[in-house]
């Protein structure tokens, strides 16, 4: 494809196409799934273009499977029965790289309940990280943070005002070159469509007004461990129109089904017997542009309230950490224990090596406190788990990266790359 903007996931897509019969590429609407899939596909069919195509795929599915490979089946969940047909066709052909399926929602029935294990690999495309949107100056390699005693350093790049703009603009590929104001106009419509259109694709869809209210509540409580009860109270319109916590939990799951919302789970690890972990998750939208659009916040609004700015910056940092961790097959968690110690992010790799991140805007006082918390974390863990720590890091909205004398790294989010 001409003018294709490369994604970090491209490398994994190519590897999976060489090792499995097909891949399932999921992600929130507008994140670039179709464009990325087209970049790797030799032919395609789009199930969202015409009812006739969906009817053919349902009645005579072999028709839509014919074409040069890899063959893209875009928005496959609109014809859920195609899943098992693709799986059977992969078995029949016994060749690698036959199909790419993309989807922005989980099907409303259980036709695709079969996992496709050994036949179809699953990958998630997120919105663009600062590296992918070329806002990072790429001077600190994320991989180095998982090698003990690596010294890091870098100067320059985006400043605090730029981070405020990037939070509002977000990482949707089609909006990367827009101003924050224009991007937010588009995202306001996007957020409304989530409540009034996207959710209607699910089984037992909720009331759009309830979802819109919940999204505003989640945005106000971004980067926090808000209870279901608190979210329920803020989602109800009046005292006479309450929402049960169990209903809110259902709504959260439904927003996750369309990849708009993603849980940041608590890190469950080996700790000393005197410490109790808290296991409540945090919730983050897949992109900060969704949250700020729900609240109609522009860059000046963030710069005038650094407490709010800090929470939204944390959410953007979590987005990027997830994207970079994906490339190492890592997972991102948060930590909190009974003493009140909280660490914003733990990235753990399959070999159990891990790195910890406190996320701050970047004042000297906040960096010192964050470094102290990171050092405390090591005292909460068993010696074996502490020994698996590769690095302790304070991730900031600044323009300098360096390793402190206490071996804690101070990292600019706008310096990272993979």
């Amino acid at each position: 494809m001409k003018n294709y903007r490369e994604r970090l996931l491209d490398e994994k897509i190519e590897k999976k196409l060489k090792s499995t019969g097909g891949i399932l590429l999921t992600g929130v609407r507008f994140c670039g799934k179709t464009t990325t899939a087209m970049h790797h596909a030799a032919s395609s069919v789009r199930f969202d273009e015409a009812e006739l195509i969906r009817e053919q795929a349902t009645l005579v599915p072999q028709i839509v499977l014919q074409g040069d490979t890899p063959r893209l089946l875009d928005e496959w969940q609109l014809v859920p029965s195609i899943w098992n047909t693709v799986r059977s066709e992969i078995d029949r052909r016994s060749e690698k790289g036959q199909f790419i399926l993309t989807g922005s929602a989980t099907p409303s029935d259980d036709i695709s309940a079969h996992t496709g294990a050994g036949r179809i690999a699953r990958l998630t495309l997120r919105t663009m990280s600062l590296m992918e949107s070329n806002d990072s100056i790429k001077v600190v390699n994320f991989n180095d943070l998982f090698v003990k005693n690596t010294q890091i350093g870098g100067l320059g790049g985006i400043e605090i005002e730029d981070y405020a703009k990037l939070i509002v603009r977000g990482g949707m590929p089609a909006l990367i070159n827009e101003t924050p104001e224009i991007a937010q106009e588009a995202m306001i419509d996007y957020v409304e469509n989530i409540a009034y259109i996207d959710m209607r694709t699910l089984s037992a869809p909720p009331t759009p007004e309830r979802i819109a209210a919940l999204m505003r509540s989640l945005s106000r409580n971004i980067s926090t461990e808000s209870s279901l009860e608190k979210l329920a109270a803020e989602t109800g319109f009046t005292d006479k129109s309450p929402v049960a916590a169990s209903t809110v939990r259902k709504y959260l799951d439904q927003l996750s089904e369309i990849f708009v919302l993603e849980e940041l789970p608590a890190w469950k690890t080996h700790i000393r017997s005197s410490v109790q972990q808290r296991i409540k998750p945090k919730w983050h939208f897949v992109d900060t542009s969704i949250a700020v659009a729900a609240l109609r916040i522009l860059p000046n609004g963030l710069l005038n309230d650094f407490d709010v700015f800090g929470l939204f910056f944390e959410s953007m940092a979590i987005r990027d950490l997830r994207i970079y961790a994906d490339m190492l097959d890592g997972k991102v968690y948060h930590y909190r224990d009974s003493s009140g110690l909280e660490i914003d992010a733990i990235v753990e790799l399959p070999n159990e090596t891990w790195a910890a991140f406190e996320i701050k805007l970047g004042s000297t006082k906040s960096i010192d406190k964050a470094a102290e918390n990171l050092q405390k974390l090591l005292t909460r863990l068993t010696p074996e788990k502490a020994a698996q720590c590769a690095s302790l890091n304070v991730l900031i909205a600044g323009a300098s990266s360096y390793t402190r004398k206490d071996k804690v790294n101070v990292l600019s989010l706008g310096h990272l790359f993979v």
Side-chain angles (χ1 to χ4, degrees):
M1 295 183 65
K2 293 182 179 180
N3 302 319
Y4 176 70
R5 188 187 290 266
E6 292 186 358
R7 307 297 295 270
L8 283 172
L9 203 65
D10 286 329
E11 181 180 345
K12 297 197 81 170
I13 291 173
E14 286 296 326
K15 287 181 178 179
K16 292 297 184 183
L17 287 172
K18 293 176 182 177
S19 63
T20 59
I23 63 170
L24 170 61
L25 187 62
T26 59
V28 70
R29 179 173 55 84
F30 212 40
C31 73
K33 293 185 303 301
T34 300
T35 301
T36 295
M38 288 288 289
H39 179 68
H40 297 274
S43 65
S44 64
V45 58
R46 297 187 59 169
F47 293 146
D48 61 346
E49 285 189 336
E51 180 65 30
L52 178 60
I53 294 176
R54 294 191 290 274
E55 289 180 0
Q56 287 179 327
T58 301
L59 298 174
V60 193
Q62 290 296 332
I63 292 178
V64 300
L65 299 189
Q66 300 307 308
D68 294 338
T69 60
R71 180 146 173 89
L72 168 61
L73 308 178
D74 193 37
E75 297 295 348
W76 76 274
Q77 79 281 351
L78 297 176
V79 186
S81 59
I82 203 71
W83 176 272
N84 285 333
T85 305
V86 168
R87 184 171 54 83
S88 298
E89 185 67 11
I90 288 173
D91 285 344
R92 188 186 69 80
R93 296 182 185 182
S94 297
E95 295 180 5
K96 308 300 183 185
Q98 295 301 295
F99 298 103
I100 303 173
L101 289 78
T102 65
S104 54
T106 302
S108 58
D109 57 31
D110 61 357
I111 291 177
S112 65
H114 193 289
T115 64
R119 304 174 181 88
I120 302 174
R122 296 168 184 260
L123 296 172
T124 299
L125 184 68
R126 304 177 188 277
T127 59
M128 283 186 163
S129 63
L130 295 187
M131 174 192 168
E132 293 169 295
S133 61
N134 289 325
D135 292 295
S136 169
I137 63 171
K138 306 179 182 69
V139 293
V140 177
N141 194 323
F142 186 72
N143 297 351
D144 290 343
L145 305 182
F146 297 90
V147 179
K148 287 192 175 184
N149 300 317
T150 299
Q151 299 281 311
I152 61 97
L155 287 172
I158 52 181
E159 303 282 354
I160 192 75
E161 294 84 0
D162 300 309
Y163 284 103
K165 294 176 182 178
L166 292 171
I167 286 169
V168 175
R169 185 207 68 189
M172 296 294 186
L175 301 176
I176 289 300
N177 295 322
E178 302 294 348
T179 65
E181 293 76 16
I182 295 300
Q184 182 160 109
E185 281 298 313
M187 291 307 298
I188 288 171
D189 294 335
Y190 183 95
V191 169
E192 183 170 316
N193 283 340
I194 290 171
Y196 286 87
I197 298 176
D198 294 358
M199 300 296 285
R200 312 310 293 177
T201 65
L202 303 175
S203 59
T207 304
E209 290 80 9
R210 294 288 194 194
I211 287 296
L214 175 59
M215 291 182 68
R216 289 192 294 271
S217 177
L218 287 165
S219 300
R220 286 191 294 269
N221 294 283
I222 201 165
S223 301
T224 65
E225 295 177 83
S226 294
S227 67
L228 293 177
E229 289 75 16
K230 181 178 182 181
L231 294 175
E234 295 185 6
T235 302
F237 301 129
T238 66
D239 292 340
K240 295 181 180 179
S241 181
V243 177
S246 59
T247 301
V248 165
R249 177 70 235 196
K250 176 184 175 183
Y251 291 170
L252 294 174
D253 291 341
Q254 290 178 316
L255 285 168
S256 299
E257 285 182 47
I258 58 172
F259 308 103
V260 168
L261 195 66
E262 191 167 2
E263 177 181 304
L264 183 66
W267 194 38
K268 299 176 183 178
T269 188
H270 308 292
I271 57 175
R272 295 181 183 272
S273 58
S274 60
V275 180
Q276 290 184 329
Q277 283 186 270
R278 304 305 190 204
I279 60 173
K280 185 182 298 183
K282 291 184 178 182
W283 291 95
H284 290 273
F285 287 107
V286 71
D287 198 82
T288 52
S289 61
I290 297 173
V292 292
L295 298 178
R296 308 295 202 270
I297 298 176
L298 288 169
N300 283 343
L302 295 174
L303 293 168
N304 290 332
D305 189 335
F306 268 60
D307 290 335
V308 172
F309 190 177
L311 294 173
F312 278 98
F313 175 71
E314 179 179 335
S315 191
M316 183 169 71
I318 293 295
R319 178 201 68 188
D320 280 17
L321 288 177
R322 279 174 161 157
I323 294 169
Y324 301 149
D326 281 346
M327 302 311 300
L328 304 178
D329 295 322
K331 302 294 183 184
V332 184
Y333 307 90
H334 77 99
Y335 176 91
R336 187 181 180 194
D337 63 33
S338 55
S339 73
L341 178 63
E342 182 175 357
I343 303 299
D344 296 321
I346 306 288
V347 178
E348 188 168 40
L349 304 187
N351 65 2
E352 297 189 331
T353 299
W354 57 276
F357 299 82
E358 278 279 72
I359 303 169
K360 307 297 176 186
L361 286 179
S363 69
T364 300
K365 184 177 179 180
S366 68
I367 291 173
D368 288 343
K369 179 61 177 176
E372 180 183 336
N373 285 344
L374 290 165
Q375 298 283 7
K376 283 181 181 178
L377 173 63
L378 296 180
T379 69
R380 303 293 201 269
L381 306 175
T382 62
E384 294 79 12
K385 195 63 186 177
Q388 292 174 318
C389 176
S391 65
L392 302 174
N393 308 278
V394 184
L395 198 53
I396 64 168
S400 61
S401 296
Y402 55 94
T403 301
R404 293 164 41 115
K405 292 181 179 179
D406 59 8
K407 297 185 179 180
V408 173
N409 297 319
V410 177
L411 303 169
S412 167
L413 182 62
H415 286 178
L416 287 176
F417 74 100
V418 178

